[in-house]
Amino acid sequence: MIQNYNAKIVWIGRRQLTEEIQSNIDKVAKYGQAPMYISADATDQNQLKNAYNKIIDKWGHVNGIVHSAIVLLDKSLANMIEENFRLGLKTKVNLSVRLSQVFNMQELDFMMYFSSIQSFMKAPGQSNYAAGCVFEDHYAMRMNSENTTLAKVINWSYWGNTGVVSSQEYHERMNKMGMASIETEEAMNVLENLLAGSFNQLTMLKLL
Ligand SMILES: NC(=O)c1ccc[n+]([C@@H]2O[C@H](COP(=O)([O-])OP(=O)(O)OC[C@H]3O[C@@H](n4cnc5c(N)ncnc54)[C@H](OP(=O)(O)O)[C@@H]3O)[C@@H](O)[C@H]2O)c1
């Protein structure tokens, strides 16, 4: 986004600004404007509202939002404590609703949800996450049916080289399921097609 569109990016995450985050900001800043980092739990309406105010103070408006948050706490239902089930779920459910409550959806060019093929496949141990993804997909559909904003959903399969499942353990698990890793450039092409095209939901599934 920075390299191709000179976009001004705001990155919201719960952590305080760490060296790792700053180093990631520095890496992308060489392509243009450095992302603005705001520490906030986006499931919390007040924290998200404060973040929104900071963004509006600095830039006056928001063109688009990408909901790419996830908290992955895999466990079979029998072994899942309720707190962890809720945390995985609310990162998708509450966060989607908070974004609608805080941001002016009518003014956006798009609202993008990063969802997963878990909406359709339901891998063992991911009931909290799968439930959240199903909610996210349908929430976006409803936004479109009510003309709230242009809501787009991408259901990714598996990113092996970046993100929360880039460990060796997940790599082996995904390989056994016949999944190949999605890579950045091909994924960005799919996102471009999704944003510019007439479909509001696409799945990117890459097999071995
Ligand atoms: N990686 C994959 O293979 C894959 C597959 C299918 C779908 N997806 C989707 O793609 C998206 C990105 O995944 P990823 O692998 O890149 O995950 P990631 O590296 O773990 O990034 C997710 C980010 O969400 C932030 N976050 C979590 N809860 C938050 C909250 N309450 N408020 C603000 N920020 C919060 C976390 O930052 P803090 O800890 O600082 O809050 C974290 O950096 C997710 O939506 C996921 O569902 C990924």
Side-chain angles (χ1 to χ4, degrees), residues 1-55:
M1 294 292 287
I2 294 171
Q3 189 171 16
N4 296 333
Y5 300 104
N6 197 21
K8 298 177 180 75
I9 302 284
V10 179
W11 170 3
I12 300 177
R14 293 163 304 173
R15 283 165 294 170
Q16 295 299 322
L17 185 66
T18 59
E19 273 180 26
E20 187 196 352
I21 291 171
Q22 187 58 54
S23 128
N24 284 329
I25 290 173
D26 295 342
K27 262 187 231 159
V28 289
K30 58 178 183 265
Y31 299 111
Q33 174 123 22
M36 170 189 188
Y37 184 77
I38 301 177
S39 167
D41 180 342
T43 62
D44 180 294
Q45 196 167 355
N46 288 331
Q47 290 190 38
L48 192 60
K49 182 77 186 153
N50 287 337
Y52 173 79
N53 290 337
K54 283 183 195 161
I55 297 164

Side-chain angles (χ1 to χ4, degrees), residues 11-16 18 21 37-44 47-48 66-72 87 90-92 95 113-118 129 133 136 154-166 170 174 181-182 204:
W11 170 3
I12 300 177
R14 293 163 304 173
R15 283 165 294 170
Q16 295 299 322
T18 59
I21 291 171
Y37 184 77
I38 301 177
S39 167
D41 180 342
T43 62
D44 180 294
Q47 290 190 38
L48 192 60
V66 180
H67 174 354
S68 64
I70 178 175
V71 171
L72 200 61
L87 183 55
K90 87 169 185 179
T91 308
K92 292 298 188 189
L95 208 152
Y113 297 91
F114 278 11
S115 184
S116 161
I117 54 164
Q118 286 317 309
Y129 179 51
C133 289
E136 209 172 24
I154 179 83
N155 298 83
W156 302 117
S157 54
Y158 156 60
W159 289 70
N161 290 313
T162 183
V164 71
V165 290
S166 52
Y170 274 102
M174 293 298 157
S181 169
I182 293 173
M204 185 170 183

Side-chain angles (χ1 to χ4, degrees), residues 95-110:
L95 208 152
S96 298
V97 176
R98 296 292 169 248
L99 287 171
S100 297
Q101 289 169 333
V102 167
F103 285 80
N104 186 345
M105 289 286 149
Q106 301 284 350
E107 282 182 1
L108 299 179
D109 296 336
F110 68 90

